[in-house]
Amino acid sequence: MGHRVGSAPLLLLLLAFCKGRIVRVPKSPLIRVEGTETVIPCNVTDYDGPSEQNFDWEFSQGTDFVRIVSTWDSSFTSQQYQKRVSSREIVLRRSSNNAVELLIRSIQPIDQGEYKCITPSTDATVQGNYDATVQVKVIADGLTVSGSKARSSKPLKLSEGDSFELRCSASTTSSEHTHLQVTWELKNGPAWQEILSLTHEGKFQPSPEYEERYLSGDVRLDTVANDIYRLSVSQALPLDEGLYRCLVSEWVKGADSSWQKIQEKNVEVASVVIQQTALDVLIATSNMSVTERDSLDLTCNITTDRSGIFQAQVTWYFSESLDDTLSDARVLLSVDRDSVVSNSPLISLSHMDRNSYHLLVRDVGVEDSGYYFCQASVWVPQHNGSWHKVVEKTSSPVSVVVTALELDYQIVLNASKTPKFSDDPTELECRIVNAQNTEANIRFTVSWYYRMRLRNDAVVTDELLATMDADWTLLVGDKSRQRTQNGEIIFSKQAMGTFSLRIQWTSEADRGDYYCVASAWSRHHNNSWVKSKDVTSALVSVFWATQDYTLTVEAVKLKPFFMAGHTFEMICKVSSQNIKTPRYSVLITAEKPLTDQSNPNGTTRIISLNQDSVVRLEDWTDQARVDGVVLEKVQENEFRYRMYQTQMSDAGLYRCVVTAWSPGGSGMWREAVNGLSNPIQIDFQTSGPVFNVSVHSDNPTVYQGELADLLCIVTIDRVVLEPDDMSFDVSWFAVHSFALDRAPVLLASLDRKGIVTQARRNWSSDVSLERISPMEFRLRVHGCEGQDFGNHYCSITPWVRSATGVWQREPEIKSKPIFISVKMDVLNALKYPLLIGIGLATIIGLLSCLIGYCSSRWCCKKEVQETRRERRRLMSMEMD
């Protein structure tokens, strides 16, 4: 165990000694070509001291080292290198804080030798190596690069799609075992662009821009004979235009087995100009007009300066608008470079000769009017059997107008059945006659219109009853949609050119003028139908003499005088004229005084009785008197309204609103006319009690958590009532703001039966409501909070028992508000936080003392070892 413990420090000590400064230069030898630029890098790692290190370079040819240059001492350079360093033929440049490069711009045979890179020490201790050497070998320049011919000032002119070859010669007589890399480059802009390379490792490497063409075989690099490198382009494109050069670099394998480029030369071989193929596309015919059902004949002529083998591809287009683009146009027919024509039943395309293409459109229609143009492209073959498009052009459009054949037909509208009275049937027949130039591709439809008769000079508007589309689908207008669905109006097509309109039960609203519009539809080549003509018929009048409906309604009050609590009766008498077998619906309305807050709008709909004698309560909301109103039919034209146990709140004007109905078609009732009766007034003239209400509080300002008392006090004027003859509905409200600018919030309510209802609250305070005397009601707010401040008021609804024992409800009364403010008790608010703080401080202090005592007693105790003293007795003097 002791051996293991002792070996660990030894291992750490060995690692510390192994770590130290490391200076690195390339592995020897470095082979360089005479006259080329040479760069020798040097860097240092694992050093102490500042991050930026200094470097010294020295040179030796087997003897003593000669100082060349230094990064920190300008006087370091020896005499024989002063001139080359000052002329910057030899430069020491820093690439980073711990790395430099020795640059010799044109290395010479005299520069062959050993170079040493030295780093002055900045370490606390001397560790590692402080210099490194590299051997540089300078060989003669044996690389020769030339074009197949000297570059001529005359460029090489080619047509797009032609093939061309360029040659370059490259060889070397180097004493070392070197490899050559040949790269073809093109310059058609500010910089040279790489095309294809034969690397020093014998691999073909195309640039990304030429990779696809290289894989397809359009661009190739071959070696021919001795040291000849040939660039072959089998399909010239416009982007191949420019200056071509051959770039040759010489590579040698270094001591670390990596390839190093030692020199590079280039030669400009040729300037290539790509001439684009000229192509003209022209339609022989100018703008033209043809008649419907005739044939359209157009010829597209193409001319090109292309010679040799090529094929043309032609496509015909059609566009309805001159502003449409080629993508928006419709392709009619096309012939490809193999002379294969696309198929179409009514359109044909023929190849008349090498430069002419004939388009024939048979049986043209109006939809063929528009702009026609052709597009031609020239294709040339490639060495791999594929075809390449060298040029494409589109002709100018030719406008073609197709004149439609004029359809000639007439339309006759007759009334086969006309009404003489209301609810009689009406039948109209619309027929197409004398039709000419109508073929199997023509179809007729009809639209029905109604025009109301006006007695003045107002503008007449026509209403669409129904229309048919090209496939005879019926589209019904808004005026007749419901009646058509109910079967009251029938639209039908009786024959090819005969259409009918039937109204089963004609009403007064149907009186007016009717006409039909016959539409002719033509079928196009794509089997679609297009409307070509409309013909409107003459007007047919549907009218019969009739007298205006009259309706008289009279309201009669049966009892001229009555008191609150009694029954109110009213008779509605109805009389009508010019209405066949009428029935009546009755509605009773009341116009309350503006002081009635239950209905601020004025008019209240109470109860109704429809024409089928079905009774319905409308806006009657008194749940205590659900059965308190009755409306019944006494006779055919007489109705009686009763209201039992009338209240003071029932005061107002009462009317009968009567609607007369006459039987319509299919068992339905049709509204004829409305009438309004004279008003019957209910006015309770009484000298009964007058109630007043007020709010009082002994302490309107309270602190949080205290109790707030508010009293609602009711007083009576004029008449003294017994407590048993009156009761109150009491409600307390609060407006939580200084001004009455918010909606009141209900706090609690107490009805006249003594039932208390509390509103839901969102804070911890609570309310209670109680009656402390027949005329006083107390609201208490327990545990007041800040949210309880604001204006508080009470609202009462008195109930008084009449002499007959009936309870009458008096109008609602509201008190003036009283403002309750809630303050915060600062002492009580801070009492509990202070007590809690003092308690916590005391506990923490005692705990600190306990921890300190325990620490000093057990954790920090030291054992003091006293010096051992031997106890020996003193010897007596006599014994000594």
Side-chain angles (χ1 to χ4, degrees), residues 617 619-628 645 647 649-650 799 809:
L617 286 176
D619 298 334
W620 184 262
T621 58
D622 193 345
Q623 299 297 326
R625 294 190 297 159
V626 175
D627 300 329
Q645 296 182 358
Q647 305 288 336
S649 58
D650 295 329
W799 290 79
R809 185 174 63 183

Side-chain angles (χ1 to χ4, degrees), residues 644-797:
Y644 301 100
Q645 296 182 358
T646 55
Q647 305 288 336
M648 297 295 293
S649 58
D650 295 329
L653 298 178
Y654 288 76
R655 299 176 186 267
C656 304
V657 181
V658 181
T659 301
W661 301 79
S662 63
S666 66
M668 304 294 293
W669 288 97
R670 180 171 50 85
E671 181 179 340
V673 66
N674 295 318
L676 183 66
S677 73
N678 56 296
I680 299 297
Q681 185 175 12
I682 298 179
D683 187 12
F684 299 100
Q685 300 295 332
T686 178
S687 57
V690 176
F691 294 91
N692 299 309
V693 62
S694 61
V695 177
H696 174 72
S697 177
D698 292 337
N699 189 12
T701 301
V702 297
Y703 288 94
Q704 288 187 358
E706 293 185 350
L707 175 69
D709 277 352
L710 293 93
L711 291 178
C712 180
I713 303 172
V714 183
T715 59
I716 307 177
D717 295 337
R718 292 186 184 177
V719 178
V720 178
L721 297 177
E722 293 296 329
D724 294 339
D725 293 336
M726 60 181 176
S727 62
F728 304 94
D729 291 335
V730 181
S731 299
W732 278 93
F733 296 89
V735 180
H736 299 295
S737 65
F738 293 97
L740 297 174
D741 54 352
R742 296 184 181 179
V745 178
L746 175 65
L747 301 179
S749 63
L750 174 70
D751 64 7
R752 61 193 181 99
K753 297 179 181 179
I755 300 175
V756 177
T757 303
Q758 291 187 358
R760 184 177 180 181
R761 303 174 64 81
N762 295 326
W763 50 89
S764 60
S765 62
D766 197 6
V767 297
S768 62
L769 177 59
E770 59 181 344
R771 184 175 67 181
I772 59 177
S773 71
M775 307 289 285
E776 293 181 341
F777 303 87
R778 179 169 60 191
L779 175 71
R780 287 184 172 183
V781 182
H782 304 272
C784 289
E785 294 187 1
Q787 296 92 329
D788 293 316
F789 89 101
N791 293 280
H792 293 65
Y793 66 91
C794 68
S795 171
I796 67 167
T797 302

